[in-house]
Amino acid sequence: MMETAQEVKTRVYKFGNKTADGNSTMKNLLGGKGANLAEMGLIGIPVPPGFTITTDVCTEYNQLGQDAVIAMITQEVEDAIENIEQIMGSKFGDKENPLLVSVRSGARVSMPGMMDTVLNLGLNDDVVIGLAEKSGNERFAWDSYRRFIQMYGDVVLGMKPESKEDIDPFEEIMEALKHKRNIELDTEFTIQDLKDLVYDFKEAVKKRTGHNFPTNPWDQLWGAVVAVFNSWNSDRAIYYRKMNGYPGEWGTAVNVQAMVYGNMGLNSGTGVCFTRDAGTGENVFNGEYLINAQGEDVVAGTRTPQQITKLGSLRWAELAKVEEEDRAENYPSLEELMPTIYNELNEYQKKLELHYRDMQDMEFTMQDGKLWILQTRNGKRTGAAMVKIAMDSLKEGLISEKEALLQIEPSKLDELLHPVFDAKALKRANVIAQGLPASPGAATGKIVFFADEADHYKSSILVRIETSPEDLEGMNIAKGILTARGGMTSHAAVVARGMGKCCVSGAGALKIDYKKRTLTVDGVVYQEGDWISLNGSTGNIIEGKVATSEPELSGEFAELMELSDKYATMQVRTNADSPKDAKVAVKFGAQGIGLTRTEHMFFEVDRIKAMREMILADTLKGRKEALNELLPMQREDFEGIFEAMEGLPVTVRLLDPPLHEFVPHQLETQRSLAEDMHISLEAVKIKVAELEEFNPMLGHRGCRLGITYPEITEMQARAIIEAALNLKEKGIEAKPEIMVPLIGTIAEFEHQEAVIRATANKVFEERNDTVEYLVGTMIEIPRAAITANLIAEKADFFSFGTNDLTQMTFGYSRDDAGKFLPTYIEKGILKVDPFEVLDQEGVGQLVQIGTSKGRSVKSKLKVGICGEHGGDPSSVEFCYNTGMNYVSCSPYRVPIARIASAQAAIKAQQ
Ligand code: ADP
Ligand code: MG
Ligand code: MG
């Protein structure tokens, strides 16, 4: 056989004992978890030894299958296990001195709860006895064993509950035993109980799968490795990738790591911590832990976790209404309970934040008084926390201005631009209970109890005892999430913060009955479909609907935006059709209007009639009469918008859509229009039918309207120029930029330009005054992009209308694309919807060609983009690299585009 490069590449990377084959720059190959475990090892943080099977192997697994891949890596895996054995001084599968491992997934980006982890792997009926003897702790050995069977059963052997109302089969067995023994907590099981559980668990596995639980540790290991690979293509992982736009090719790495035990007794435990507050961004170290517990227990929300810091503990007690005496005795912080370990942890969290220059989310385990760090990563955070952390870190000198700007995920600012509860409405609100403020925001909706029913109402609140990874899709759909159990680091809390979704967790006063579908608080019963509201910033749960109000751009957010202006060279304008939109956009920092669509103004009730009369008129005279009625209304619209923009440039596009869109299609409206116009119903019907087109998007629209009916262009030009003059009289500057849509040839532009300039001159003469204005064009037909040098001879500016340009370049009708685009994306024919994210490869080339050809004849030609893409961060970066003067987007996306513009400039410098 031929030796190919593939066969000699390294597929397994070791770490441990302060050395590592990898490091934190290798996230694509080792996954985030694996790369950071290696890096922590290198910088002297105590990490249990282990190894990472690369993401490439996952891809190979998907192509070649299980047997081929196992054969390919067996030797490397055996060597790596031997390496762990040497460091730990124990042996995998050994009966006297056993090494146990965890098998953990880890993609290049963290996908919380996406992939499953198996702990305590390597146990069987013989090894458990060895573990008991070696540790001198029989209870611990059997507790580990029952956990292992449970996790391995769920993750590898498919022992998940059968229906959504059912609980996990293992939990069911445990609950039954707790009931029988009249105990509440896992920690109260006796050794005999644990042995019984192991027996019953194995029976359950046999009954459900038809096979015995695997006893050979190596079989167990390969089973778990394959399960991790398979989990990459589980429904929930696919959904999460789709939600975040991550490609399937990435694959997941597999980490195999020596176990350290948090369940060895009262001197052991496990926890999760953050170097800053992931919800608010406040610079306080915080987190939760549980004594005598393993990994998942903290996140699972089955026991109430305790706070790591004393400050956090006091704050928690206040929210949970726990008296100080009770707190200090039953829920002390780690800082109080184990000060030495706490101090060590505190050192590591500082060191890691400094090292990674960003807020860290860490996992740790204490085994018999020794601290181990199991994971670190840049912590997920809410939009508000993201802004505060970046600005604080800048002020503290931890990071530079550029780093602060680059730390911002532009799309996440969206969360800060959404409504909050109206302060007045909040005062009247009836607060029925309080939970933990797990993820800030305001949410109002109807109660649903199951994630897959979140879409039953337009606005729903998902109410659960606790959430699990299966609930991801429903959590995303719901307006807010409420759980009865779980702390600030529970699954619900972490995932909600990542999504920027309002979440209140651990509201102990809630009694939830899944079967009856009711929520009971203090004896009051709420049914599925009842309205409730959540305040994710205070943890308040409120009866009914609460009004919301518009957000403000203030504090750190305002500072951040100011900072972006220091680096951004490409401007951000807005698309606005009304003074109201224009004002919102100015508030968010828009530097002009890139697109005002005049047709929207014609759809208002009092105007549509005049518009229809104009369209249906048979004569030039009739059309002019109707246009005369429209003129004052248009002028007023423009005055309002110019005034709102206070001297900033405003691009007004002349009428664009096919006329058919304006005429009535219902008999009743047709009849009343006929009456108003004193013509027969029949005549109206004939006219409407005449206007119908086979391909309206390629039909009689855009400048074609203005060329066939120059009086329309005349009226619009007059309205724009008169409005500007009227404002000038009031001492307000207006900067109109008149834009001709849908140009394909220079002759089209010349025709319209002549009409516009003649009209303007006429108005100037009438008024004996002038204003400055520009006449430019949309570039949205491929022919225009290709002949841009000709068009630029005449046009004052270009604005790329990438919606139409995408439509015409792909040949996809935007109105019909819904029938096939989803399939295209599913089948990988297209990676993303080109109407959302600019297709840089194809459409982008036309944009580049158009820009450079235009500038070849007019070097200072002003070039911008309007259309949905103007607010998409990756498209903004593309526009910057193309050398555009501005992007234009909807008002609420202006701050996002401003940050993206600054980031593009910074990245280009680097
Ligand atoms: P997730 O990606 O869902 O967080 P992890 O792989 O990080 O999954 O593991 C789940 C839990 O198990 C975490 O709390 C982690 O700290 C713990 N854990 C993982 N490996 C070990 C180990 N070798 N020893 C002790 N605890 C572990
Ligand atoms: Mg983890
Ligand atoms: Mg268009």
Side-chain angles (χ1 to χ4, degrees), residues 729-784:
E729 273 173 20
K730 287 204 254 169
I732 301 167
E733 193 191 1
K735 283 194 182 154
E737 302 182 342
I738 301 172
M739 180 156 79
V740 185
L742 224 67
I743 290 291
T745 73
I746 176 63
E748 287 174 315
F749 182 76
E750 282 171 334
H751 177 280
Q752 288 292 286
E753 190 196 9
V755 174
I756 295 164
R757 295 212 185 269
T759 308
N761 289 336
K762 214 158 137 200
V763 177
F764 292 159
E765 231 167 80
E766 287 165 17
R767 302 279 292 253
N768 203 14
D769 196 2
T770 61
V771 287
E772 273 184 41
Y773 68 98
L774 302 180
V775 185
T777 181
M778 304 271 288
I779 302 288
E780 51 189 337
I781 289 187
R783 193 182 191 286

Side-chain angles (χ1 to χ4, degrees), residues 624-636:
K624 282 200 165 169
E625 270 169 24
L627 284 166
N628 272 339
E629 266 183 72
L630 287 169
L631 174 67
M633 303 179 195
Q634 278 260 278
R635 192 170 52 218
E636 202 185 307

Side-chain angles (χ1 to χ4, degrees), residues 202 316 426 486 563 627 678:
K202 285 200 286 194
W316 166 83
L426 215 48
L563 185 62
L627 284 166
H678 308 292

Side-chain angles (χ1 to χ4, degrees), residues 653 656 701 741-742 778 780 801 803-804:
R653 181 179 67 186
D656 183 48
R701 55 173 290 224
L742 224 67
M778 304 271 288
E780 51 189 337
N803 294 348
D804 265 307

Side-chain angles (χ1 to χ4, degrees), residues 595 597 599 653 656 697 701-702 741-742 778-781 800-805 807-808 814 866:
L595 176 64
R597 301 176 180 87
E599 57 270 17
R653 181 179 67 186
D656 183 48
M697 282 301 112
R701 55 173 290 224
L742 224 67
M778 304 271 288
I779 302 288
E780 51 189 337
I781 289 187
F800 284 91
T802 46
N803 294 348
D804 265 307
L805 191 59
Q807 170 160 269
M808 303 211 203
R814 191 144 84 116
C866 54

Side-chain angles (χ1 to χ4, degrees), residues 574-805:
T574 190
N575 300 347
D577 304 342
S578 70
K580 185 173 156 268
D581 285 357
K583 279 184 196 137
V584 171
V586 169
K587 199 175 81 179
F588 288 147
Q591 290 153 306
I593 288 183
L595 176 64
T596 289
R597 301 176 180 87
T598 50
E599 57 270 17
H600 286 189
M601 303 169 176
F602 293 129
F603 280 109
E604 281 169 39
V605 213
D606 48 333
R607 299 161 184 212
I608 187 77
K609 211 184 107 216
M611 185 68 185
R612 285 170 174 167
E613 286 177 7
M614 192 275 291
I615 295 169
L616 296 192
D618 274 326
T619 61
L620 178 63
K621 184 167 160 282
R623 265 196 306 278
K624 282 200 165 169
E625 270 169 24
L627 284 166
N628 272 339
E629 266 183 72
L630 287 169
L631 174 67
M633 303 179 195
Q634 278 260 278
R635 192 170 52 218
E636 202 185 307
D637 290 331
F638 295 139
E639 282 177 23
I641 290 175
F642 292 158
E643 193 169 350
M645 294 310 289
E646 307 161 347
L648 295 169
V650 175
T651 307
V652 181
R653 181 179 67 186
L654 302 179
L655 192 64
D656 183 48
L659 297 181
H660 192 246
E661 286 187 13
F662 296 97
V663 294
H665 299 282
Q666 272 156 343
L667 191 61
E668 261 321 292
T669 353
Q670 289 180 347
R671 186 171 288 144
S672 78
L673 185 66
E675 273 166 27
D676 285 342
M677 289 183 68
H678 308 292
I679 54 174
S680 69
L681 174 62
E682 213 39 42
V684 170
K685 281 189 171 166
I686 288 171
K687 198 78 191 181
V688 170
E690 260 175 36
L691 286 169
E692 202 157 332
E693 295 177 293
F694 287 107
N695 287 314
M697 282 301 112
L698 300 176
H700 193 184
R701 55 173 290 224
C703 66
R704 299 159 203 170
L705 292 170
I707 289 169
T708 44
Y709 303 121
E711 55 278 11
I712 299 178
T713 305
E714 252 171 58
M715 183 279 282
Q716 293 202 292
R718 178 174 278 275
I720 295 166
I721 299 294
E722 287 184 351
L725 283 168
N726 288 350
L727 287 184
K728 189 177 172 188
E729 273 173 20
K730 287 204 254 169
I732 301 167
E733 193 191 1
K735 283 194 182 154
E737 302 182 342
I738 301 172
M739 180 156 79
V740 185
L742 224 67
I743 290 291
T745 73
I746 176 63
E748 287 174 315
F749 182 76
E750 282 171 334
H751 177 280
Q752 288 292 286
E753 190 196 9
V755 174
I756 295 164
R757 295 212 185 269
T759 308
N761 289 336
K762 214 158 137 200
V763 177
F764 292 159
E765 231 167 80
E766 287 165 17
R767 302 279 292 253
N768 203 14
D769 196 2
T770 61
V771 287
E772 273 184 41
Y773 68 98
L774 302 180
V775 185
T777 181
M778 304 271 288
I779 302 288
E780 51 189 337
I781 289 187
R783 193 182 191 286
I786 291 170
T787 59
N789 50 324
L790 302 177
I791 296 171
E793 300 259 7
K794 293 290 160 71
D796 292 333
F797 64 88
F798 282 180
S799 175
F800 284 91
T802 46
N803 294 348
D804 265 307
L805 191 59

